[in-house]
């Protein structure tokens, strides 16, 4: 038969209640009405396992097994790679240790009116030396994979602006010289004011903006998802031209948007050589 949709394997989960530990979780099954959940602590090498063949034993009646297993997978994947914003109706999951066992709690949200919970208590597996060595080997394989991916995955964006932006207006990165962009990681909006980060990672952001300023207290600002994350204060008050700089290293979620807001009391300069935004992927996550 076809592999059920809920099958998944995630190697680096940090549950809210036990953030000090990193947990592997695998959900497997050969049929849609039953699943086996296996977990392993990457810190202690403890392992737990549970076969679920009657979903009604773990939560309210009336829910099809396959639906709950799919929601379990969705919650685990969201924990592994959180989106920029999580909807209130999305399922959530947490884990706690109880008498040496591992309890997973899946919480659903039905239209904000009802939040049914499903609990899966995974039982401790007694391990011999071979199994412990296998656990260490899995860790080594994860590290090798991460090292290969970090070396092979590189991404960068470098764009300039050729039009003036008024005070508090988003800068349009519409220049025509020396533009570089890796399309797998970045996307520029139709009006050129917004850069979408398509893959989660740690990025270095450098922004330079030439401006004409005529009042103290103005700030060029870097915004992620509409929220200011960094500012550069402008202090010239005699209508002088100056250059504002921002350099930041940030962990950015996939799907996040990046904009730069002009902070000059007059305007930014319409000069491609003065205005530059560069983003470099330091580490993929």
């Amino acid at each position: 038969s076809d592999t059920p949709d809920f099958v998944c394997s995630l190697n680096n989960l940090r549950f809210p209640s036990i953030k000090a530990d990193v947990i592997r979780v695998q959900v497997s099954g050969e049929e849609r009405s039953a699943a086996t959940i296996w977990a392993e602590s990457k810190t202690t090498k403890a392992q737990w396992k549970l076969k679920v063949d009657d979903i009604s034993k773990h939560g309210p009646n009336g829910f099809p097994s396959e639906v709950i297993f799919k929601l379990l997978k969705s919650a685990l994947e969201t924990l592994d790679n959180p989106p920029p914003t999580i909807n209130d109706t999305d399922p959530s999951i947490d884990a706690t240790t109880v008498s040496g066992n591992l309890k997973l709690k899946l919480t659903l949200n039905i239209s904000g009116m009802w939040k049914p919970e499903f609990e899966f208590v995974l039982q401790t597996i007694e391990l011999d030396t071979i199994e412990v060595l296998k656990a260490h080997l899995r860790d080594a394989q994860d590290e090798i994979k991460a090292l290969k991916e970090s070396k092979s995955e590189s991404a960068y964006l470098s764009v300039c602006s050729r039009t003036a932006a008024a005070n508090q207006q988003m800068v349009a990165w519409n220049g025509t010289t020396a533009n570089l962009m890796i399309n797998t990681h970045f996307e520029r909006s139709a009006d050129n004011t917004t850069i979408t980060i398509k893959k989660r990672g740690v990025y270095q952001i450098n922004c330079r903006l030439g401006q004409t300023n005529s009042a103290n207290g103005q700030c060029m600002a870097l915004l992620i998802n509409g929220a200011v994350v960094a500012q550069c204060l402008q202090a010239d008050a005699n209508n002088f031209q100056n250059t504002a700089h921002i350099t930041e290293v940030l962990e950015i979620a996939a799907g996040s948007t990046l904009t730069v807001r002009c902070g000059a009391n007059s305007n930014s300069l319409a000069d491609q050589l003065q205005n530059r935004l560069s983003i470099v992927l330091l580490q993929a996550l």
Side-chain angles (χ1 to χ4, degrees):
S1 59
D2 295 337
T3 301
D5 296 340
F6 56 77
V7 170
C8 62
S9 179
L10 301 164
N11 295 327
N12 294 288
L13 296 177
R14 290 187 181 273
F15 291 95
S17 295
I18 48 173
K19 286 186 175 180
D21 203 351
V22 180
I23 307 293
R24 300 178 188 274
V25 174
Q26 294 177 2
V27 182
S28 59
E30 296 181 355
E31 55 187 71
R32 301 182 186 280
S33 61
T36 297
I37 308 172
W38 172 88
E40 177 185 80
S41 164
K42 296 183 75 171
T43 302
T44 66
K45 307 310 174 194
Q47 294 181 21
W48 307 269
K49 188 175 182 180
L50 174 69
K51 183 173 182 180
V52 182
D53 51 18
D54 183 356
I55 200 67
S56 65
K57 294 180 179 179
H58 302 274
N61 292 324
F63 289 89
S65 298
E66 185 180 5
V67 171
I68 299 304
F69 295 148
K70 286 182 178 179
L71 291 171
L72 174 64
K73 175 185 178 182
S74 176
L76 290 169
E77 290 178 338
T78 298
L79 183 67
D80 180 57
N81 188 16
T85 57
I86 298 177
N87 297 324
D88 291 338
T89 55
D90 291 340
S92 62
I93 192 163
D94 200 1
T96 54
T97 53
V98 180
S99 301
N101 298 321
L102 183 73
K103 182 170 73 174
L104 300 181
K105 183 169 73 173
L106 174 68
T107 303
L108 312 184
N109 191 328
I110 311 298
S111 302
M113 302 296 292
W114 183 34
K115 295 185 178 181
E117 295 180 350
F118 287 81
E119 293 187 349
F120 306 97
V121 180
L122 282 63
Q123 302 297 309
T124 301
I125 301 174
E126 296 296 330
L127 302 179
D128 57 22
T129 303
I130 298 299
E131 291 301 323
V132 174
L133 290 174
K134 287 181 179 179
H136 285 288
L137 179 59
R138 283 190 287 270
D139 288 346
Q141 290 171 333
D142 285 349
E143 292 174 3
I144 292 171
K145 181 181 178 182
L147 182 60
K148 287 181 177 179
E149 290 177 348
S150 66
K151 285 186 175 181
S152 62
E153 186 171 2
S154 63
Y156 46 82
L157 172 145
S158 183
V159 290
C160 57
S161 176
R162 59 186 172 87
T163 57
N167 189 28
Q168 302 303 301
Q169 183 180 23
M170 298 304 175
V171 177
W173 302 103
N174 55 6
T176 58
T177 62
N179 288 324
L180 301 169
M181 186 169 72
I182 302 298
N183 293 330
T184 55
H185 287 70
F186 307 102
E187 182 177 344
R188 190 162 37 171
S189 63
D191 64 359
N192 296 304
T193 62
T194 302
I195 306 297
T196 298
I197 308 298
K198 298 167 72 172
K199 293 191 176 184
R200 180 186 174 208
V202 177
Y203 292 84
Q204 179 171 312
I205 303 165
N206 297 284
C207 182
R208 181 179 76 247
L209 191 66
Q211 304 178 107
T212 301
N213 204 36
S214 59
N216 287 329
Q218 303 302 309
C219 293
M220 179 183 77
L222 174 67
L223 297 87
I224 303 292
N225 297 322
V228 174
V229 296
Q231 295 186 136
C232 180
L233 180 68
Q234 299 297 286
D236 291 326
N238 296 308
N239 211 37
F240 290 153
Q241 293 181 347
N242 56 69
T243 304
H245 295 265
I246 288 178
T247 299
E248 287 289 322
V249 175
L250 300 170
E251 179 180 331
I252 303 178
S256 297
T257 58
L258 182 150
T259 50
V260 176
R261 188 173 66 204
C262 177
N265 186 259
S266 294
N267 53 262
S268 66
L269 302 180
D271 187 342
Q272 295 188 113
L273 296 179
Q274 296 291 336
N275 310 320
R276 172 71 58 179
L277 173 65
S278 300
I279 308 173
V280 178
L281 173 66
L282 300 179
Q283 182 179 353
L285 297 176

